[in-house]
Amino acid sequence: MTKLHIGLGVTGGIAAYKAIEVMRLLQKAGCEVSVAMTRHATEFVRPLTFRALTDRHVIVDDYDPANPDPIAHINFSQEIDLLLIVPATANIISKFANGIADDFLSSTYLASTAPVLIAPAMNVTMWEQAATQRNIERLRADGVRFVDPVAGELACKTVGTGKLEDVENIVSQVLNLLDAETQRRRGGRETSLRLSVSALKDDLTKEHILITVGGTREAIDPVRFISNHSSGKMGFAVAVAARERGARVTVVAASTSVEPPDGVELIRSISAQEMFDAVMEKVADATVFIGAAAVADYSPANVADAKIKKEGIDGISLELKKTPDILSEVSKRRREGQMVIGFAAETNDVIEFAKSKMAKKNLDMVIANDITAKGAGFNTDTNIATILTRQRETALGLMSKRALADKILDEIVNLRKSNPANAARSGNS
Ligand code: CTP
């Protein structure tokens, strides 16, 4: 798996020390981080701090004899998947906007084709200055993204906008951007990245998550079956993400076309009925149930004991009977504190159908997606979904199934925090 490489540029401001925290979180998320500092930044934080924590030379000056690479700004700029500036002064923003390359960091900006994310921090007057705002507009037009500073008490004791955004929010935006970029530039190649800031904390250690995955197969005879296109990628992505966040995970998997993850309890159940039985056996112990499987709604009423022969038969009709609805049954039997979550894969009126499923099946959360949208649906590595809870609706853009998995888990954590009693209604209310 590929490690993503961040070029972290640190410029001269009081908030420079916060770049250390940003770097640590990015490393925890699985990124490689190389640091470049401006000369003024070294007045606030010593390069040694970054060198010790990254085990890499920190570049301040291309011409420094201690620099192991004679054309560092070119090599550095080609190696990185993202150039991140924390904190960015008005000066570096101005240099980037005007194509000035008079030090290592500004030369790197010019020499790089990687996406750029800038988190400015400065005095409010400098921030609001027409020249700064003009430079920012110009950079935005060039495709540079910003994590805007927030209002608060600034280092200069004035109050206003100019404070560096919260470190976790910066990292969260970096991870979202990296995920989108990896899908675009690397054709969805899997990375070892943990894609949510809360995923960096073991925030699910108290949960036992039971997940159904894959597409069920309903036998017609010993050779043939009725099934669907489900690959199991989405359900397995949730399983991996939950395991990494400390949850105990049990997966009940029907037919899948990808390898199941390690570190989870795996139960194979091929038909809807087998899946129903396996889930009912395990669910009492689970704190969260997630129905990610594409369960057949109908199965052949009579399964032939021997292979059906075509000789002398021009047409055939199959009588189908309804399968048990696993998700509804789990919801009916739910016990205090148990969360029940479903998926709604639709082709039209996505949100409406998802809402009615949430009400009909009495769910805490529904992940709705339009399987006809490009980049969403079966057998892709990406999805475009809306997460619905009783409280809110969050429409998410194109992202990897792994990133969506972490968003779903984030929402579980939010539900637990916001109203544990409500998030885990008991009985069939
Ligand atoms: N589900 C289930 N058992 C079934 C059918 C569906 O557990 N027999 C779960 C799926 O895992 C998914 C959700 O229910 O989480 C999807 O419901 P779906 O079958 O699509 O919705 P229905 O309410 O049955 O409506 P329709 O099939 O008409 O869309």
Side-chain angles (χ1 to χ4, degrees):
M1 268 192 275
T2 338
K3 253 198 164 183
L4 291 167
H5 191 169
I6 314 281
L8 174 61
V10 184
T11 72
I14 292 283
Y17 73 95
K18 291 194 179 164
I20 300 168
E21 237 177 294
V22 168
M23 183 202 60
R24 295 299 273 169
L25 278 176
L26 288 172
Q27 287 175 325
K28 224 174 160 196
C31 300
E32 194 86 57
V33 185
S34 297
V35 178
M37 301 177 78
T38 59
R39 178 74 55 206
H40 284 151
T42 65
E43 300 287 337
F44 295 89
V45 183
R46 304 253 300 140
L48 181 64
T49 309
F50 290 107
R51 197 178 83 205
L53 296 171
T54 59
D55 211 15
R56 284 166 174 265
H57 179 75
V58 173
I59 310 168
V60 179
D61 176 6
D62 279 55
Y63 306 106
D64 181 349
N67 183 357
D69 183 351
I71 46 166
H73 66 276
I74 301 295
N75 290 335
F76 184 95
S77 59
Q78 303 304 311
E79 275 170 16
I80 55 176
D81 293 291
L82 175 82
L83 179 62
L84 170 69
I85 314 296
V86 182
T89 55
N91 186 42
I92 200 77
I93 290 170
S94 168
K95 285 194 206 177
F96 285 1
N98 292 288
I100 296 168
D102 64 351
D103 63 5
F104 176 75
L105 192 54
S106 50
S107 309
T108 295
Y109 172 78
L110 274 192
S112 173
T113 54
V116 181
L117 186 64
I118 295 181
M122 64 194 77
N123 158 276
V124 59
T125 312
M126 292 174 90
W127 171 250
E128 286 172 354
Q129 194 58 253
T132 306
Q133 290 304 317
R134 197 164 52 237
N135 289 331
I136 287 170
E137 280 322 303
R138 193 183 275 190
L139 286 173
R140 281 193 211 276
D142 291 342
V144 172
R145 293 161 175 94
F146 283 83
V147 184
D148 285 338
V150 291
E153 192 186 333
L154 306 176
C156 50
K157 303 284 175 235
T158 52
V159 174
T161 301
K163 203 169 138 74
L164 187 76
E165 172 61 292
D166 181 61
V167 164
E168 288 199 356
N169 287 343
I170 294 174
V171 174
S172 176
Q173 293 201 37
V174 172
L175 295 178
N176 284 343
L177 183 58
L178 278 180
D179 184 52
E181 279 299 312
T182 344
Q183 299 315 318
R184 198 174 64 77
R185 284 158 52 117
R186 300 189 179 215
R189 207 142 43 92
E190 213 181 325
T191 67
S192 53
L193 207 58
R194 300 177 87 171
L195 290 157
S196 134
V197 173
S198 50
L200 304 179
K201 305 169 197 148
D202 289 339
D203 55 357
L204 293 173
T205 48
K206 292 200 181 113
E207 308 287 355
H208 173 198
I209 304 189
L210 175 63
I211 313 172
T212 62
V213 175
T216 65
R217 289 178 172 183
E218 310 304 323
I220 299 169
D221 69 12
V223 181
R224 292 101 172 184
F225 55 80
I226 301 171
S227 193
N228 57 65
H229 294 292
S230 175
S231 60
K233 284 182 180 175
M234 188 65 238
F236 282 158
V238 177
V240 173
R243 183 203 63 202
E244 284 185 356
R245 293 166 73 154
R248 179 180 150 204
V249 180
T250 303
V251 175
V252 178
S255 167
T256 53
S257 57
V258 286
E259 279 293 299
D262 294 329
V264 304
E265 185 190 1
L266 181 75
I267 300 160
R268 279 286 175 191
S269 63
I270 297 303
S271 67
Q273 185 62 51
E274 282 170 13
M275 183 173 265
F276 179 86
D277 294 341
V279 167
M280 291 312 144
E281 207 188 302
K282 288 282 169 189
V283 75
D285 203 25
T287 56
V288 179
F289 174 78
I290 305 179
V295 187
D297 288 325
Y298 296 91
S299 70
N302 302 299
V303 184
D305 291 336
K307 186 181 171 195
I308 300 169
K309 302 304 267 183
K310 61 180 174 298
E311 185 90 3
I313 304 175
D314 288 337
I316 201 165
S317 314
L318 282 177
E319 191 194 329
L320 300 175
K321 65 173 194 318
K322 211 160 197 169
T323 58
D325 189 321
I326 303 164
L327 186 60
S328 294
E329 197 53 37
V330 169
S331 175
K332 269 188 212 147
R333 297 183 190 189
R334 79 163 76 199
R335 58 173 175 76
E336 193 78 36
Q338 210 169 33
M339 250 189 238
V340 184
I341 298 168
F343 275 74
E346 308 286 351
T347 54
N348 55 289
D349 304 312
V350 180
I351 302 301
E352 286 321 300
F353 279 131
K355 279 185 180 159
S356 85
K357 256 168 223 185
M358 180 149 65
K360 220 167 46 196
K361 300 193 185 190
N362 185 27
L363 306 174
D364 296 293
M365 193 191 303
V366 175
I367 299 97
N369 66 336
D370 177 351
I371 49 169
T372 62
K374 194 170 177 288
F378 298 117
N379 236 321
T380 57
D381 290 314
T382 54
N383 213 335
I384 306 166
T386 301
I387 300 181
L388 296 105
T389 62
R390 302 267 167 166
Q391 291 79 28
R392 61 191 182 138
E393 201 176 300
T394 315
L396 302 165
L398 179 74
M399 59 177 65
S400 64
K401 286 186 172 168
R402 177 51 214 270
L404 176 58
D406 271 318
K407 300 275 181 219
I408 295 166
L409 297 173
D410 287 352
E411 206 58 52
I412 292 175
V413 173
N414 285 340
L415 279 180
R416 285 271 190 244
K417 270 194 216 142
S418 65
N419 193 346
N422 181 43
R425 295 178 309 280
S426 59
N428 186 21
S429 55

